[in-house]
Amino acid sequence: MRLVRLGFALIAILAGCSAAAAQQTPNLSEIATALAEERAQIAALRAELDRRDARLAELTARLSTATNVIEPAAPEAKPAPPPVVLSQPTAVPRFQFYADSRVRYETLHQEYEGCDGCPDRKRGRLRLRFGAEGHVTPDFTAVIGLGLGEISDPNTVYANLGNNFSRKVASWDRGYVEYHPSKVKWMRLMAGKFPYTWQRSSMTFDVDFYPEGLNQRFSFDLGSSAVKSVGAQAFELIVNEQPGDRHMTIVGGQLTAAISAIPKVVTRIAVTGLDIDNPEFMLRALLDGTDTGVRNTNAVLGTGPAAQLLSGYRYANVIVDNAVATPWPKLPIIFGFEYQKNLEAANDRDKGLSFRVDAGRAQRRGDWDGGWHVFRVEQDAILAGLGESDWRAPSNVLQHRFALNRMMNENVQLGFTLYRGRTLDPTLRGALTAPNFVPGIREPWMNRAYFDITYRYWRAMDSVGSPGIVDHEAPRAVCLTTQNIPVAAGQCHRLAI
């Protein structure tokens, strides 16, 4: 019985296992199917990934090819940034300063056999200048400046030493506003009392003058290998203001061109015309002593305060300068000539000629520069009151100028200048001659020598642009930021040497 029960139990267990196996078989099939589907999806994803890898490799190859094509042009594009840096308004300080000091030992000597009273003078002189240049707005520049000098002598920027230790008088020697729109770089407009902006020599204007009035300047850089640049300008100056609008005025214009027809040689040509209206007011100032800068040497009618100029004054002037680049950077050479004619002269003494040779530079320590200038100016070729005060005479004169300078460093220069001149025709009325000189023989030479030491408080820079002249520069502004001013001593458009 016991065995029978055990047999039925075994049969029941086997029947249960068969039923369970029958129930689990479908579930395993579903799992296999799902597994197969997942494997298919994985294969599809791998195929898509391979496709995208291939696409990425293709794009990378194309980008590399494009980069290789652009890279050779990159070195040519690199020079482009510098103009952008130069034109940044933040590069120019709102205010800049200029200043210089010069101490001079001067000798004046003239003699001939039997001369009684010939000049033989030695004196010390001093020049001090200080000013500021403002760049508050991008299109305007304003400049003000102080300098030593005699109030009654517009032809000098020096004060004599030895007047009982007196204080030296300083006055405003310049003050102007310049308009130079950033969008019209070829135009510059000025108004006030400013340095010379046109090309000229000391034959026609004393180097120490600061013209007063208006100036319009237009210049174009052509970039041509033959014609470098051209320019035109006009100026309207007031010399002596009078009631009733009968002022003494100067109205003129100039055309310029820079040409390089020969390698390493640049020729600059300037053609100027100007008209002087009511010049007798300057004659009055010379005769009554209110202007002590020079003495009148022009032909006049009458005597004393009632004297009148014989000629009118309308200039035609041509200057040709040639700058030659030599194999030695420290030794450029400039030579040129000038022709001046007074178109309204009442006589045939109406012409002036000049020639000059200059060599060297004055930029760095150890530099030398020097030159020789010679002028031959007839009596009525120029208006005497505007002439050079360092000469033997402003007109009716043969004048030499010799100069030699050495830069001790970028701020200090030693200089020697010799003016050697004589009157052309001592027989003319108004001619300047040595004391007790007997007309009929050639006047003896007058020699004026300058020994200078000049200290510029920083290296000079142009602020209105150097006009290029045929003699030593008139005072020019230079540029200085406030951080450049030494604490113990506490330097654009302009210092002169």
Side-chain angles (χ1 to χ4, degrees), residues 136-341:
V136 179
T137 62
D139 294 340
F140 288 87
T141 298
V143 175
I144 56 174
L146 292 168
L148 291 184
E150 303 294 337
I151 300 299
S152 61
D153 184 358
N155 298 70
T156 187
V157 291
Y158 293 87
N160 293 338
L161 301 178
N163 188 17
N164 298 319
F165 300 146
S166 63
R167 289 176 174 82
K168 309 308 175 186
V169 177
S171 58
W172 296 104
D173 62 12
R174 78 195 77 181
Y176 62 90
V177 175
E178 182 180 15
Y179 175 56
H180 42 82
S182 57
K183 295 183 179 180
V184 189
K185 296 184 181 299
W186 46 265
M187 181 177 72
R188 304 178 82 92
L189 309 178
M190 299 176 67
K193 187 175 181 66
F194 44 80
Y196 292 107
T197 60
W198 63 92
Q199 187 169 337
R200 90 281 178 256
S201 79
S202 53
M203 179 194 299
T204 52
F205 290 93
D206 188 293
V207 297
D208 291 328
F209 280 144
Y210 290 84
E212 301 172 11
L214 304 174
N215 182 80
Q216 306 86 39
R217 188 177 180 186
F218 311 94
S219 57
F220 305 89
D221 293 328
L222 302 182
S224 169
S225 59
V227 181
K228 301 294 186 181
S229 64
V230 295
Q233 69 176 304
F235 46 90
E236 305 82 30
L237 312 177
I238 182 163
V239 182
N240 194 308
E241 188 271 338
Q242 294 290 325
D245 291 335
R246 294 189 66 252
H247 315 308
M248 177 181 173
T249 59
I250 300 176
V251 177
Q254 184 176 86
L255 299 176
T256 59
I259 303 171
S260 182
I262 303 174
K264 297 185 178 181
V265 178
V266 177
T267 300
R268 293 179 174 86
I269 303 172
V271 179
T272 308
L274 64 85
D275 183 73
I276 303 175
D277 194 26
N278 295 321
E280 63 271 12
F281 289 119
M282 179 162 280
L283 175 64
R284 299 272 78 75
L286 296 178
L287 296 178
D288 64 21
T290 54
D291 182 349
T292 62
V294 295
R295 292 171 60 183
N296 178 59
T297 54
N298 295 137
V300 297
L301 296 173
T303 59
Q308 298 290 325
L309 290 169
L310 179 64
S311 299
Y313 291 89
R314 177 174 294 169
Y315 295 178
N317 183 278
V318 178
I319 295 176
V320 179
D321 273 344
N322 300 277
V324 182
T326 69
W328 306 277
K330 291 186 176 183
L331 194 65
I333 298 175
I334 300 176
F335 65 93
F337 65 87
E338 176 183 16
Y339 175 78
Q340 160 74 16
K341 184 176 176 62

Side-chain angles (χ1 to χ4, degrees), residues 3 362 439:
L3 291 172

Side-chain angles (χ1 to χ4, degrees), residues 22-75:
Q23 292 177 357
Q24 290 177 357
T25 301
N27 292 335
L28 291 175
S29 300
E30 292 177 0
I31 292 174
T33 302
L35 182 60
E37 291 177 355
E38 289 296 330
R39 287 176 177 173
Q41 290 182 5
I42 291 173
L45 290 175
R46 285 179 176 174
E48 178 65 19
L49 183 59
D50 292 340
R51 187 183 66 81
R52 294 191 179 188
D53 287 343
R55 179 61 175 168
L56 181 61
E58 179 186 356
L59 292 177
T60 303
R62 292 173 61 183
L63 179 62
S64 177
T65 303
T67 303
N68 292 335
V69 172
I70 295 173
E71 282 180 354

